[in-house]
Amino acid sequence: MVVVDNEKRIIVDAGREGDVEEPRDGKVITANGQTILPGLIDAHVHFWGCKVYDLTAWVSTPETLVALRSVADLRKLLMAGFTSVREMGTKGGAFLSRAIKEGCIDGPEVLSCGRSLGKTGGDDDPTNLPLHIAQELSYSYFADGPWECRGAVRKVIRDGADFVKVYAATGTTPETYTSPMYHLRPQFSVEEMKAIVDEAHDSGLKVAIHAIGEQSVTNAIEAGADSIEHGMALTEDAAREMKRKGIFYVPTLGVFLTSPALRSFIDNPNLADDVYVRRHLTSDMELAKQYGLKIVAGTDFGGNDEQPHGQNYIEIVSIAKYLGNKEALVSATSRAAECLGLMDNGQIKKGFKADITVVRGNPLENIEALAPANIALVLKGGRLFTPN
Ligand SMILES: [Zn+2]
Protein backbone atom coordinates (compact mmCIF):
# COMPACT_ATOMS: atom_id res chain seq x y z
CA MET A 1 0.00 0.00 0.00
CA VAL A 2 1.27 3.47 -0.91
CA VAL A 3 0.08 6.82 0.39
CA VAL A 4 0.50 9.84 -1.87
CA ASP A 5 0.32 13.49 -0.85
CA ASN A 6 -2.05 15.08 -3.38
CA GLU A 7 -0.61 18.57 -2.97
CA LYS A 8 3.08 17.82 -2.99
CA ARG A 9 2.66 14.91 -5.44
CA ILE A 10 5.09 12.76 -3.48
CA ILE A 11 4.97 9.42 -1.69
CA VAL A 12 4.45 9.96 2.03
CA ASP A 13 4.32 6.34 3.17
CA ALA A 14 4.61 2.81 1.78
CA GLY A 15 4.45 -0.67 3.24
CA ARG A 16 2.22 -3.64 3.92
CA GLU A 17 -1.44 -2.98 4.68
CA GLY A 18 -1.84 -2.59 8.44
CA ASP A 19 1.69 -1.16 8.78
CA VAL A 20 0.73 2.03 6.98
CA GLU A 21 -1.52 4.63 8.53
CA GLU A 22 -4.39 5.67 6.26
CA PRO A 23 -4.45 9.46 5.96
CA ARG A 24 -7.53 11.67 6.16
CA ASP A 25 -6.61 13.33 2.89
CA GLY A 26 -4.24 12.08 0.22
CA LYS A 27 -4.47 9.19 -2.18
CA VAL A 28 -4.11 5.54 -1.17
CA ILE A 29 -2.94 2.94 -3.68
CA THR A 30 -3.58 -0.65 -2.62
CA ALA A 31 -2.19 -3.72 -4.30
CA ASN A 32 -5.25 -6.02 -4.19
CA GLY A 33 -3.32 -8.92 -5.60
CA GLN A 34 -1.57 -6.68 -8.10
CA THR A 35 1.98 -5.37 -7.97
CA ILE A 36 2.88 -1.77 -7.18
CA LEU A 37 6.06 -0.67 -8.97
CA PRO A 38 7.93 2.57 -9.41
CA GLY A 39 6.90 4.14 -12.73
CA LEU A 40 8.89 2.57 -15.56
CA ILE A 41 11.66 4.50 -17.31
CA ASP A 42 12.91 4.12 -20.89
CA ALA A 43 16.38 5.67 -21.00
CA HIS A 44 16.75 5.78 -24.78
CA VAL A 45 13.91 6.84 -27.06
CA HIS A 46 13.36 9.08 -30.06
CA PHE A 47 10.19 10.72 -31.27
CA TRP A 48 10.80 10.48 -34.99
CA GLY A 49 7.10 10.75 -35.85
CA CYS A 50 7.73 8.58 -38.95
CA LYS A 51 6.33 5.25 -40.07
CA VAL A 52 9.72 3.95 -41.20
CA TYR A 53 13.23 3.65 -39.73
CA ASP A 54 15.09 5.83 -42.19
CA LEU A 55 17.41 8.83 -41.95
CA THR A 56 15.82 10.69 -44.87
CA ALA A 57 12.36 10.25 -43.33
CA TRP A 58 13.64 11.45 -39.93
CA VAL A 59 14.93 14.72 -41.35
CA SER A 60 12.23 15.42 -43.94
CA THR A 61 8.89 14.59 -42.27
CA PRO A 62 7.05 17.88 -41.65
CA GLU A 63 7.60 19.00 -38.08
CA THR A 64 3.92 19.56 -37.33
CA LEU A 65 3.15 15.96 -38.33
CA VAL A 66 6.09 14.72 -36.21
CA ALA A 67 4.77 16.69 -33.23
CA LEU A 68 1.20 15.39 -33.60
CA ARG A 69 2.31 11.77 -33.93
CA SER A 70 4.64 12.26 -30.96
CA VAL A 71 1.74 13.46 -28.81
CA ALA A 72 -0.01 10.14 -29.52
CA ASP A 73 3.23 8.22 -28.80
CA LEU A 74 3.71 10.01 -25.47
CA ARG A 75 0.22 8.99 -24.37
CA LYS A 76 0.88 5.37 -25.37
CA LEU A 77 4.08 5.38 -23.32
CA LEU A 78 2.27 6.71 -20.25
CA MET A 79 -0.55 4.16 -20.58
CA ALA A 80 2.09 1.42 -20.87
CA GLY A 81 3.38 2.42 -17.41
CA PHE A 82 6.30 4.63 -18.45
CA THR A 83 6.48 7.80 -16.35
CA SER A 84 9.89 9.10 -17.54
CA VAL A 85 11.83 8.79 -20.78
CA ARG A 86 15.17 10.11 -22.00
CA GLU A 87 14.79 11.52 -25.50
CA MET A 88 17.95 11.03 -27.51
CA GLY A 89 17.66 13.40 -30.43
CA THR A 90 14.53 14.69 -32.15
CA LYS A 91 14.22 18.20 -33.52
CA GLY A 92 11.28 19.09 -31.32
CA GLY A 93 12.28 16.99 -28.29
CA ALA A 94 12.89 19.94 -25.99
CA PHE A 95 9.46 21.35 -26.92
CA LEU A 96 7.71 18.03 -26.20
CA SER A 97 9.44 18.10 -22.83
CA ARG A 98 8.21 21.63 -22.19
CA ALA A 99 4.62 20.83 -23.27
CA ILE A 100 4.54 17.90 -20.84
CA LYS A 101 5.91 20.02 -17.99
CA GLU A 102 3.29 22.69 -18.69
CA GLY A 103 0.58 20.01 -18.52
CA CYS A 104 -0.83 20.74 -21.98
CA ILE A 105 -0.35 17.13 -23.15
CA ASP A 106 -0.24 13.80 -21.28
CA GLY A 107 2.87 11.69 -21.27
CA PRO A 108 5.90 10.64 -19.29
CA GLU A 109 8.37 13.25 -18.13
CA VAL A 110 10.69 13.80 -21.09
CA LEU A 111 14.36 14.49 -20.52
CA SER A 112 15.57 15.81 -23.85
CA CYS A 113 18.97 16.37 -25.41
CA GLY A 114 17.39 19.00 -27.68
CA ARG A 115 19.46 17.96 -30.64
CA SER A 116 22.23 15.39 -30.72
CA LEU A 117 25.79 16.36 -31.69
CA GLY A 118 27.48 14.87 -34.74
CA LYS A 119 30.38 15.68 -37.00
CA THR A 120 29.95 17.20 -40.47
CA GLY A 121 29.57 14.35 -42.95
CA GLY A 122 28.95 11.90 -40.13
CA ASP A 123 26.38 9.15 -40.09
CA ASP A 124 23.48 11.39 -39.17
CA ASP A 125 24.32 14.00 -41.82
CA PRO A 126 22.13 13.35 -44.92
CA THR A 127 24.94 13.94 -47.41
CA ASN A 128 22.60 13.68 -50.41
CA LEU A 129 21.50 17.23 -49.52
CA PRO A 130 23.50 20.47 -49.67
CA LEU A 131 25.19 21.03 -46.30
CA HIS A 132 23.18 24.09 -45.23
CA ILE A 133 19.91 22.28 -45.94
CA ALA A 134 21.11 19.11 -44.19
CA GLN A 135 22.03 21.18 -41.13
CA GLU A 136 18.70 22.97 -41.22
CA LEU A 137 16.76 19.68 -41.36
CA SER A 138 18.91 17.49 -39.11
CA TYR A 139 18.10 16.44 -35.57
CA SER A 140 21.84 16.95 -34.85
CA TYR A 141 24.04 20.01 -34.68
CA PHE A 142 27.12 19.36 -36.76
CA ALA A 143 30.38 20.52 -35.19
CA ASP A 144 34.07 20.05 -35.96
CA GLY A 145 36.98 20.72 -33.65
CA PRO A 146 36.89 21.24 -29.88
CA TRP A 147 35.66 24.86 -29.95
CA GLU A 148 32.81 24.20 -32.36
CA CYS A 149 31.90 21.24 -30.15
CA ARG A 150 31.80 23.51 -27.11
CA GLY A 151 29.64 25.93 -29.13
CA ALA A 152 27.24 23.10 -30.05
CA VAL A 153 26.84 22.23 -26.36
CA ARG A 154 26.01 25.89 -25.68
CA LYS A 155 23.40 25.77 -28.46
CA VAL A 156 21.59 22.72 -27.06
CA ILE A 157 21.63 24.29 -23.60
CA ARG A 158 20.06 27.39 -25.20
CA ASP A 159 17.41 25.11 -26.74
CA GLY A 160 16.55 23.71 -23.31
CA ALA A 161 18.47 20.42 -23.29
CA ASP A 162 18.53 18.37 -20.10
CA PHE A 163 21.66 16.42 -21.13
CA VAL A 164 23.98 16.08 -24.14
CA LYS A 165 23.89 13.27 -26.73
CA VAL A 166 26.95 12.61 -28.87
CA TYR A 167 27.62 10.36 -31.87
CA ALA A 168 31.03 8.77 -31.30
CA ALA A 169 30.55 6.29 -34.13
CA THR A 170 28.64 5.45 -37.21
CA GLY A 171 25.59 3.28 -36.80
CA THR A 172 22.32 4.07 -38.51
CA THR A 173 22.43 1.39 -41.22
CA PRO A 174 21.92 -2.39 -40.88
CA GLU A 175 25.30 -2.98 -42.59
CA THR A 176 26.93 -1.47 -39.53
CA TYR A 177 25.70 -4.24 -37.32
CA THR A 178 25.79 -7.22 -39.59
CA SER A 179 29.28 -7.42 -41.01
CA PRO A 180 32.36 -8.02 -38.90
CA MET A 181 34.36 -6.52 -41.76
CA TYR A 182 32.41 -3.29 -41.86
CA HIS A 183 34.67 -0.39 -41.10
CA LEU A 184 33.11 1.18 -38.02
CA ARG A 185 34.59 4.63 -38.25
CA PRO A 186 34.85 6.60 -35.06
CA GLN A 187 33.24 9.99 -35.67
CA PHE A 188 34.23 12.64 -33.15
CA SER A 189 37.84 12.46 -31.96
CA VAL A 190 38.60 11.97 -28.28
CA GLU A 191 39.78 15.60 -28.18
CA GLU A 192 36.41 16.81 -29.49
CA MET A 193 34.42 14.63 -27.10
CA LYS A 194 36.54 15.73 -24.13
CA ALA A 195 35.64 19.35 -24.99
CA ILE A 196 31.93 18.38 -25.15
CA VAL A 197 32.08 16.55 -21.81
CA ASP A 198 33.94 19.44 -20.16
CA GLU A 199 31.50 22.04 -21.45
CA ALA A 200 28.44 19.95 -20.55
CA HIS A 201 29.66 19.04 -17.08
CA ASP A 202 30.47 22.71 -16.38
CA SER A 203 26.76 23.39 -16.88
CA GLY A 204 25.71 20.35 -14.84
CA LEU A 205 24.61 18.28 -17.85
CA LYS A 206 25.42 14.60 -18.27
CA VAL A 207 26.76 13.23 -21.55
CA ALA A 208 25.34 10.14 -23.28
CA ILE A 209 27.57 8.79 -26.03
CA HIS A 210 26.37 6.58 -28.91
CA ALA A 211 29.25 4.16 -29.41
CA ILE A 212 29.49 1.16 -31.72
CA GLY A 213 32.70 -0.76 -32.39
CA GLU A 214 35.78 -1.26 -30.20
CA GLN A 215 37.45 2.06 -31.03
CA SER A 216 34.48 4.33 -30.42
CA VAL A 217 33.57 2.55 -27.16
CA THR A 218 37.16 3.09 -25.98
CA ASN A 219 37.08 6.74 -27.15
CA ALA A 220 33.79 7.38 -25.34
CA ILE A 221 35.16 5.96 -22.10
CA GLU A 222 38.35 8.02 -22.39
CA ALA A 223 36.39 11.19 -23.13
CA GLY A 224 34.42 10.80 -19.89
CA ALA A 225 30.96 9.64 -21.00
CA ASP A 226 28.35 9.32 -18.27
CA SER A 227 26.53 6.62 -20.23
CA ILE A 228 27.39 4.54 -23.27
CA GLU A 229 24.48 3.92 -25.64
CA HIS A 230 24.31 0.67 -27.66
CA GLY A 231 27.94 -0.10 -26.69
CA MET A 232 28.39 -2.78 -29.34
CA ALA A 233 31.69 -4.67 -29.44
CA LEU A 234 32.50 -4.41 -25.76
CA THR A 235 35.95 -5.74 -24.83
CA GLU A 236 37.23 -6.96 -21.44
CA ASP A 237 39.39 -3.82 -21.13
CA ALA A 238 36.45 -1.55 -21.97
CA ALA A 239 34.17 -3.32 -19.49
CA ARG A 240 36.81 -3.05 -16.75
CA GLU A 241 37.27 0.67 -17.40
CA MET A 242 33.51 1.30 -17.50
CA LYS A 243 33.17 -0.43 -14.15
CA ARG A 244 36.03 1.60 -12.66
CA LYS A 245 34.56 4.89 -13.90
CA GLY A 246 30.95 3.98 -13.03
CA ILE A 247 29.73 4.54 -16.61
CA PHE A 248 26.16 3.37 -17.28
CA TYR A 249 25.60 0.82 -20.06
CA VAL A 250 22.43 1.16 -22.17
CA PRO A 251 22.59 -1.80 -24.59
CA THR A 252 19.29 -0.98 -26.40
CA LEU A 253 18.51 -4.64 -27.12
CA GLY A 254 14.95 -3.80 -28.18
CA VAL A 255 15.87 -1.99 -31.38
CA PHE A 256 17.99 -4.91 -32.57
CA LEU A 257 15.47 -7.60 -31.67
CA THR A 258 12.50 -5.86 -33.30
CA SER A 259 14.11 -5.01 -36.63
CA PRO A 260 13.15 -7.66 -39.22
CA ALA A 261 16.34 -6.90 -41.20
CA LEU A 262 18.55 -7.49 -38.17
CA ARG A 263 16.51 -10.47 -36.98
CA SER A 264 17.18 -12.17 -40.30
CA PHE A 265 20.90 -11.79 -39.60
CA ILE A 266 20.62 -12.86 -35.96
CA ASP A 267 18.69 -15.99 -36.98
CA ASN A 268 20.78 -16.87 -40.05
CA PRO A 269 22.87 -19.97 -39.14
CA ASN A 270 25.26 -19.33 -42.04
CA LEU A 271 26.48 -16.03 -40.69
CA ALA A 272 29.64 -15.73 -38.60
CA ASP A 273 29.16 -15.58 -34.82
CA ASP A 274 31.17 -12.39 -34.52
CA VAL A 275 28.93 -10.09 -36.55
CA TYR A 276 28.35 -7.15 -34.26
CA VAL A 277 24.66 -7.69 -33.68
CA ARG A 278 25.19 -11.33 -32.64
CA ARG A 279 28.15 -10.44 -30.50
CA HIS A 280 26.01 -7.78 -28.80
CA LEU A 281 23.37 -10.34 -27.82
CA THR A 282 25.96 -12.79 -26.54
CA SER A 283 29.43 -11.68 -25.43
CA ASP A 284 28.65 -7.96 -24.93
CA MET A 285 25.86 -8.79 -22.49
CA GLU A 286 27.88 -11.54 -20.84
CA LEU A 287 30.81 -9.14 -20.28
CA ALA A 288 28.48 -6.45 -18.97
CA LYS A 289 27.06 -8.96 -16.50
CA GLN A 290 30.45 -10.41 -15.56
CA TYR A 291 31.92 -6.95 -14.80
CA GLY A 292 28.78 -5.82 -12.97
CA LEU A 293 28.17 -2.84 -15.25
CA LYS A 294 25.26 -0.57 -14.41
CA ILE A 295 22.89 -1.83 -17.13
CA VAL A 296 19.96 0.46 -17.91
CA ALA A 297 16.82 -0.29 -19.95
CA GLY A 298 16.53 1.82 -23.09
CA THR A 299 14.77 0.62 -26.23
CA ASP A 300 15.96 3.11 -28.89
CA PHE A 301 12.34 2.94 -30.10
CA GLY A 302 11.32 5.88 -32.27
CA GLY A 303 7.61 5.30 -32.82
CA ASN A 304 7.96 3.78 -36.29
CA ASP A 305 5.97 0.69 -37.28
CA GLU A 306 8.69 -1.78 -36.23
CA GLN A 307 9.52 -0.03 -32.95
CA PRO A 308 6.21 1.41 -31.75
CA HIS A 309 5.98 3.36 -28.54
CA GLY A 310 3.81 1.57 -26.03
CA GLN A 311 5.70 -1.70 -26.54
CA ASN A 312 8.79 -0.46 -24.68
CA TYR A 313 8.51 -3.18 -22.01
CA ILE A 314 10.21 -5.42 -24.60
CA GLU A 315 13.55 -4.05 -23.40
CA ILE A 316 12.88 -5.14 -19.81
CA VAL A 317 11.85 -8.61 -20.99
CA SER A 318 15.04 -8.80 -23.08
CA ILE A 319 17.32 -7.74 -20.21
CA ALA A 320 15.60 -10.26 -17.92
CA LYS A 321 16.92 -13.08 -20.12
CA TYR A 322 20.44 -12.13 -19.04
CA LEU A 323 20.03 -10.68 -15.55
CA GLY A 324 16.78 -12.20 -14.24
CA ASN A 325 13.47 -10.47 -13.59
CA LYS A 326 14.46 -8.52 -10.50
CA GLU A 327 17.57 -6.91 -11.98
CA ALA A 328 15.68 -6.18 -15.19
CA LEU A 329 13.09 -4.25 -13.14
CA VAL A 330 15.91 -2.37 -11.39
CA SER A 331 17.38 -1.48 -14.81
CA ALA A 332 14.09 0.21 -15.77
CA THR A 333 13.38 1.94 -12.44
CA SER A 334 15.92 2.92 -9.75
CA ARG A 335 19.06 2.44 -11.88
CA ALA A 336 17.51 4.22 -14.84
CA ALA A 337 16.56 7.11 -12.53
CA GLU A 338 20.17 7.27 -11.33
CA CYS A 339 21.40 7.27 -14.94
CA LEU A 340 19.03 10.13 -15.79
CA GLY A 341 19.96 12.05 -12.65
CA LEU A 342 16.38 11.86 -11.29
CA MET A 343 17.36 11.54 -7.67
CA ASP A 344 13.82 11.50 -6.22
CA ASN A 345 12.43 8.98 -8.71
CA GLY A 346 12.58 5.27 -9.53
CA GLN A 347 11.69 3.93 -6.08
CA ILE A 348 8.59 3.51 -3.94
CA LYS A 349 9.99 5.45 -1.04
CA LYS A 350 8.92 8.21 1.32
CA GLY A 351 9.67 11.63 -0.15
CA PHE A 352 10.04 10.29 -3.69
CA LYS A 353 7.97 11.59 -6.60
CA ALA A 354 4.60 9.81 -6.89
CA ASP A 355 5.41 8.08 -10.19
CA ILE A 356 3.84 4.64 -9.79
CA THR A 357 2.76 1.81 -12.08
CA VAL A 358 0.42 -0.94 -10.87
CA VAL A 359 0.41 -4.16 -12.89
CA ARG A 360 -1.80 -7.24 -12.81
CA GLY A 361 0.26 -10.25 -11.81
CA ASN A 362 3.77 -10.38 -10.41
CA PRO A 363 6.63 -9.42 -12.76
CA LEU A 364 9.15 -11.10 -10.45
CA GLU A 365 7.49 -14.39 -11.36
CA ASN A 366 6.44 -13.53 -14.91
CA ILE A 367 8.05 -10.53 -16.58
CA GLU A 368 5.22 -10.46 -19.15
CA ALA A 369 3.13 -8.90 -16.36
CA LEU A 370 4.65 -5.63 -17.65
CA ALA A 371 2.90 -5.96 -21.03
CA PRO A 372 0.56 -3.00 -21.80
CA ALA A 373 -2.57 -5.17 -21.42
CA ASN A 374 -1.61 -5.84 -17.78
CA ILE A 375 -1.15 -2.23 -16.71
CA ALA A 376 -3.92 -1.52 -14.18
CA LEU A 377 -3.11 2.08 -13.33
CA VAL A 378 -0.43 4.70 -13.61
CA LEU A 379 0.30 7.62 -11.33
CA LYS A 380 2.47 10.37 -12.72
CA GLY A 381 3.35 13.06 -10.24
CA GLY A 382 0.37 11.85 -8.20
CA ARG A 383 -2.07 12.21 -11.11
CA LEU A 384 -4.04 9.04 -11.83
CA PHE A 385 -4.43 7.40 -15.23
CA THR A 386 -6.31 4.13 -15.82
CA PRO A 387 -5.23 2.50 -19.08
CA ASN A 388 -7.25 -0.73 -19.12
ZN1 LIG B 1 19.07 6.16 -30.52
Side-chain angles (χ1 to χ4, degrees), residues 44-46 48 53 88 165 167 210 229-230 252 300:
H44 190 132
V45 298
H46 299 269
W48 300 123
Y53 186 92
M88 282 285 177
K165 155 81 183 287
Y167 281 93
H210 161 122
E229 310 297 316
H230 320 300
T252 65
D300 201 11

Side-chain angles (χ1 to χ4, degrees), residues 167-341:
Y167 281 93
T170 186
T172 54
T173 58
E175 292 79 15
T176 312
Y177 310 121
T178 49
S179 166
M181 306 304 289
Y182 190 84
H183 181 53
L184 285 165
R185 331 179 288 282
Q187 305 232 325
F188 281 126
S189 67
V190 174
E191 188 189 14
E192 287 170 318
M193 288 195 287
K194 276 188 172 166
I196 291 169
V197 169
D198 187 55
E199 190 71 34
H201 284 181
D202 268 357
S203 294
L205 271 64
K206 292 173 185 285
V207 180
I209 302 189
H210 161 122
I212 291 172
E214 292 88 340
Q215 189 59 55
S216 76
V217 170
T218 306
N219 289 354
I221 295 167
E222 193 186 337
D226 295 291
S227 67
I228 290 189
E229 310 297 316
H230 320 300
M232 292 177 109
L234 208 56
T235 60
E236 293 233 11
D237 284 348
R240 195 178 299 112
E241 212 36 27
M242 282 180 73
K243 175 71 181 171
R244 191 182 70 77
K245 290 189 161 184
I247 300 171
F248 291 93
Y249 187 56
V250 190
T252 65
L253 304 175
V255 75
F256 303 117
L257 293 168
T258 51
S259 156
L262 292 177
R263 276 250 57 132
S264 69
F265 283 100
I266 296 166
D267 298 336
N268 181 349
N270 300 321
L271 217 65
D273 283 340
D274 60 348
V275 292
Y276 277 110
V277 68
R278 275 209 182 154
R279 191 171 148 189
H280 195 51
L281 299 172
T282 53
S283 79
D284 287 357
M285 287 304 289
E286 282 155 20
L287 278 172
K289 187 179 171 185
Q290 184 189 330
Y291 282 87
L293 298 190
K294 295 193 281 187
I295 296 172
V296 174
T299 52
D300 201 11
F301 280 14
N304 48 303
D305 288 346
E306 289 168 10
Q307 286 100 18
H309 283 307
Q311 294 296 318
N312 310 59
Y313 82 105
I314 287 170
E315 186 69 21
I316 311 170
V317 173
S318 306
I319 290 177
K321 294 200 172 88
Y322 302 91
L323 304 182
N325 295 2
K326 189 176 174 192
E327 270 297 301
L329 284 167
V330 168
S331 79
T333 54
S334 56
R335 192 178 302 120
E338 194 194 334
C339 175
L340 271 57

Side-chain angles (χ1 to χ4, degrees), residues 96-107 380 383 385:
L96 292 175
S97 172
R98 203 197 294 180
I100 296 270
K101 278 198 187 81
E102 290 170 358
C104 76
I105 53 171
D106 292 333
K380 193 209 149 197
R383 196 173 147 213
F385 297 88

